[in-house]
Amino acid sequence: MTISNGMTISGGMIKERRLRALQRQVERLARQLERLEAANDRASWFRLVIFVAGVALSGVFFFLGYLWLFGLGLLATIVAFGIAVAYHRRIGRTMDRFSITMAIKERQIARMGLDWDRLPPSDARPESSLELDFDLVGDTSLIRLVDTAVSTSGSERLRGWLAEPAASADAGAVTDAGLIMARQQLVRELVPLSLFRTRLILNARLTFGGEGRWRPDRLLAWLEKRLAAGSLRNWLILLSLLASLNIIFFLLDLLDLGPPLWQATILLYAVLFLIRSREVGEPFKESALIRDTLEQLVVVFRLLETFPHPGTPQLQALCRPFLDAQERPSDHLSQVNRIVAATGIRGNPLFWLGLNIVAPWDYYFAYRLDQRKEALARQMPAWLDTWSELEAASSLANLAYLNPSYTFPNIVETGDELLPAVFQARELGHPLIPDEQKVCNTFSIPAVGQINIITGSNMSGKSTFLRTVGVNLVLAYAGGPVNAAELTTERFRLFSCIRISDSVTDGISFFYAEVKCLKALLLALKAADAQPLLYFIDEIFRGTNNRERLQGSRAYIRALVEQSGVGLIATHDLELIQLAGEMPAISNYHFTDEVMDGRMVFDYAIRPGPSPTTNALKIMRLEGLPV
């Protein structure tokens, strides 16, 4: 990154500065909250004093017979108490705002330091091999680290983006490069807008309250549940005509200009009104329950309507449904809330009865509500979709903001012959490993059809390297930043056989589960698809004996060579390195180790060529086992 004086600042220095800035913000917010808590206590006592003193003084005036002073004192007490309550509530709202803001900042600090205990818990569990193998979902997972969405739909959208390669390996399709780059551009535009991203979270947390996710299901179900509009309109017209006749006949009778026909018409009106009164009244009960949700969405949507978008074309295009001054979502929601508020008279039975005798109040507002719901049902999915997309993109932008050393990858079209490699990464690291422990590697894959056999000792970093490549590709295809100084890659379908387990309930042994996974890999390679497969295998055929494992591994790897795919295979079997001498498409890489001061030391750096050492006996010896 370059600043105005031309000096280059490393990502680590920028990250440290942002961390210190966040810590200072948390400290300031904590001090402000302390002052607000003291002011809140004073306001509570002030309210009590006003109430007690005002009532006592008014009572004295009453018993002394000064009724005008009693009335004046009572009025002054009510006014002063109302002002005190409003001031107290204002302090409470400010405290809520500061508390949520401080929680957001504290989580930012936790995300920077991978402090899992201070991040919101995750109850999601892996649903595919990639989600399991690359730690996309779980207690210490990429999604738990990245996800800042308040709505369940935003969180699900982010998970869908990250899990897309998993789906595409089965479905035979990958996300279009143009879509990836458009999404990446949106994320890029959101990176410097940290205040906007914070306000997006803050407004949603303030309005929906609590730490849970907001679910749109109930709102969408309410919008879909409507009355028969045509039938209701006819019923409203009929009742309106009868109500008009009631008034006319009543006035004629009152002026002695005609017989009391209103008694018959009002009876007919009452009978017709009651026929559908329950059907009409039911939506009002549901609307009253959903009213808070609509008011909360107004607060969230107004931020999207009023935020300026200079220099952010992708963000402006995304927020287009909110930018039409004539069709603002907040105005539509406010109209529905006013209609629902008009039905609040049902809480006062006498007033409700009087109004509905004069005119079909309930039927009119039921019809209006049904009309507004019909319009909202058409528009709300697009509004919520925009919000979900923005929350998911903001989560990825936040990852880039908190990790300035991360870069945005270059996604290229498959089959570009001008590229020196189909995958090329410089200083590639794993985003779930703390900075002080992380070792970054430079690695490339020259062409489709290549297989890279990675050997090395136990705990030397083979499996972690597979996951490092995989998780960064997942981030790249989602449109997010990657933990690399530079990354260029074609679009691949992704497939993994890393964390294979047996199933007691299904009666599947570990070896059989592994065989099924490897068979699925062969089928995915042979599938008719324009995009090649990038596959990851950790310890091939580990579930059987040495002789059969070696024989089966050699045959299987030979079958993989020069297929429409690229492979990374980690193994302890040093015999497999000989395949590189038989087939030019196979390359050897390794990790190494050494014993220093009686303990194993690893540098986690990948090197070309086969592993020169093994360490199983060394580990056994160091732990005091007989070897």
Side-chain angles (χ1 to χ4, degrees), residues 227-260:
L227 299 172
S231 171
L232 187 62
R233 182 176 60 251
N234 296 335
W235 210 258
L236 174 63
I237 293 171
L238 176 61
L239 289 173
S240 298
L241 289 173
L242 280 173
S244 301
L245 288 175
N246 291 340
I247 295 172
I248 293 171
F249 289 155
F250 179 77
L251 290 175
L252 290 175
D253 182 35
L254 189 66
L255 298 173
D256 292 328
L257 297 176

Side-chain angles (χ1 to χ4, degrees), residues 228-542:
S231 171
L232 187 62
R233 182 176 60 251
N234 296 335
W235 210 258
L236 174 63
I237 293 171
L238 176 61
L239 289 173
S240 298
L241 289 173
L242 280 173
S244 301
L245 288 175
N246 291 340
I247 295 172
I248 293 171
F249 289 155
F250 179 77
L251 290 175
L252 290 175
D253 182 35
L254 189 66
L255 298 173
D256 292 328
L257 297 176
L261 297 176
W262 63 271
Q263 296 176 1
T265 57
I266 201 169
L267 180 62
L268 178 61
Y269 173 84
V271 171
L272 293 176
F273 185 95
L274 292 174
I275 287 176
R276 297 187 65 180
S277 60
R278 177 172 294 183
E279 179 187 354
V280 169
E282 195 63 32
F284 294 149
K285 297 177 184 178
E286 297 176 1
S287 300
L289 296 175
I290 214 76
R291 182 181 175 185
D292 288 344
T293 298
L294 296 176
E295 290 177 345
Q296 291 159 353
L297 279 177
V298 168
V299 177
V300 175
F301 286 176
R302 276 183 180 153
L303 173 63
L304 305 183
E305 293 167 353
T306 57
F307 176 75
H309 302 83
T312 55
Q314 285 295 133
L315 180 59
Q316 186 173 6
L318 176 64
C319 294
R320 188 169 290 117
F322 293 87
L323 303 180
D324 185 351
Q326 305 301 320
E327 294 289 337
R328 285 186 170 176
S330 61
D331 292 340
H332 285 278
L333 296 178
S334 297
Q335 289 175 18
V336 174
N337 275 334
R338 286 193 291 270
I339 294 171
V340 175
T343 66
I345 62 165
R346 296 175 70 89
N348 188 327
L350 290 177
F351 191 50
W352 170 82
L353 181 62
L355 269 179
N356 278 285
I357 287 175
V358 174
W361 180 277
D362 278 6
Y363 282 80
Y364 172 72
F365 282 103
Y367 177 65
R368 286 286 311 279
L369 180 62
D370 219 53
Q371 284 183 313
R372 298 312 310 159
K373 283 174 69 176
E374 183 178 5
L376 278 183
R378 292 194 303 268
Q379 297 166 306
M380 183 63 72
W383 298 339
L384 293 178
D385 185 73
T386 297
W387 184 28
S388 301
E389 191 94 355
L390 188 55
E391 283 196 304
S394 294
S395 296
L396 293 173
N398 188 61
L399 176 67
Y401 178 78
L402 296 180
N403 298 276
S405 60
Y406 287 16
T407 57
F408 284 92
N410 184 25
I411 312 295
V412 298
E413 289 293 344
T414 300
D416 189 342
E417 297 180 355
L418 298 178
L419 292 174
V422 294
F423 176 88
Q424 191 167 10
R426 184 165 59 86
E427 296 180 26
L428 187 70
H430 199 301
L432 301 184
I433 298 178
D435 292 344
E436 60 275 12
Q437 301 173 19
K438 187 182 305 184
V439 174
C440 296
N441 283 287
T442 296
F443 182 76
S444 65
I445 302 172
V448 173
Q450 294 281 316
I451 294 178
N452 301 281
I453 296 178
I454 304 172
T455 52
S457 306
N458 295 288
M459 303 183 297
S460 61
K462 302 187 302 299
S463 300
T464 299
F465 182 74
L466 297 188
R467 296 189 182 100
T468 298
V469 175
V471 75
N472 278 287
L473 282 173
V474 164
L475 279 168
Y477 297 150
V482 294
N483 187 179
E486 183 180 358
L487 190 148
T488 300
T489 180
E490 287 189 4
R491 290 179 294 141
F492 292 101
R493 295 172 294 144
L494 302 182
F495 196 102
S496 65
C497 294
I498 297 177
R499 287 183 175 134
I500 299 172
S501 61
D502 55 2
S503 173
V504 175
T505 56
D506 294 335
I508 298 176
S509 69
F510 178 89
F511 178 69
Y512 188 57
E514 185 179 18
V515 167
K516 289 182 67 176
C517 181
L518 294 174
K519 180 182 178 181
L521 170 55
L522 283 177
L523 293 175
L525 276 171
K526 294 175 181 178
D529 198 287
Q531 306 303 328
L533 194 73
L534 178 52
Y535 51 91
F536 306 81
I537 303 175
D538 191 15
E539 297 301 337
I540 188 170
F541 292 130
R542 74 187 90 170

